[in-house]
Amino acid sequence: MKALLALIFVAQFPLVSMASFTQLRCSTIGNEATVTVQLSRAVDAQNPWVGMNTIGANLIVKRTGAYNSYSTAITLSPLAQYGDLNMRGDAAQGGVYLQLYPVIAGGTATGKYTGQLFVNDLDKREYFDFRSEGNEPGLVCQ
């Protein structure tokens, strides 16, 4: 009886879908760096803004072969409007421009993203330019 009640209770609350994620690992155009976006909560790729209109995240950029990495806190928000699957990321101090576009297969978001990143952080004296070139995205994330 307890198991049946527990099953009914769990069935009433939607679980995080299979396409949810808490981290995106991205490669850059020329494999110059690895970009990681660590989210503060699990995000459903098909409905990322359910219950919230922003997502806290940590952006980490590590150049290939480098010892140190660049890290900053960012806030992800819909690119255009609330229902938009596209995301934009901004840092509180400015100087960070991140855009992520979901890869759609069969009409649904897969949890994979393409995008671009531009960082000009004057406080930390860091500069990265992984913007899209032609038809090739600046970032490819999974």
Side-chain angles (χ1 to χ4, degrees):
M1 183 66 167
K2 287 182 182 179
L4 180 61
L5 289 175
L7 181 62
I8 291 170
F9 180 75
V10 170
Q12 290 182 356
F13 296 100
L15 299 175
V16 178
S17 78
M18 296 304 284
S20 69
F21 57 93
T22 56
Q23 176 176 295
L24 290 172
R25 272 200 182 287
C26 311
S27 57
T28 60
I29 285 181
N31 289 323
E32 304 166 41
T34 300
V35 176
T36 305
V37 180
Q38 182 70 46
L39 306 171
S40 62
R41 65 177 176 91
V43 172
D44 179 358
Q46 191 64 36
N47 300 300
W49 312 113
V50 171
M52 300 184 180
N53 59 355
T54 62
I55 302 167
N58 192 32
L59 175 72
I60 303 164
V61 181
K62 183 164 183 177
R63 289 194 187 275
T64 304
Y67 178 73
N68 295 332
S69 61
Y70 168 78
S71 179
T72 190
I74 62 172
T75 301
L76 294 172
S77 59
L79 189 60
Q81 59 194 16
Y82 178 75
D84 196 354
L85 296 180
N86 300 321
M87 300 180 184
R88 83 176 266 152
D90 299 297
Q93 81 279 5
V96 175
Y97 171 82
L98 172 68
Q99 287 187 338
L100 296 171
Y101 310 102
V103 174
I104 307 293
T108 60
T110 62
K112 297 179 181 180
Y113 286 79
T114 60
Q116 51 190 349
L117 172 67
F118 178 77
V119 175
N120 188 14
D121 190 330
L122 299 177
D123 294 335
K124 295 182 181 179
R125 297 183 179 173
E126 293 283 359
Y127 177 83
F128 302 102
D129 187 359
F130 305 124
R131 290 182 282 185
S132 301
E133 296 177 3
N135 291 332
E136 190 171 358
L139 300 174
V140 176
C141 310
Q142 317 193 36

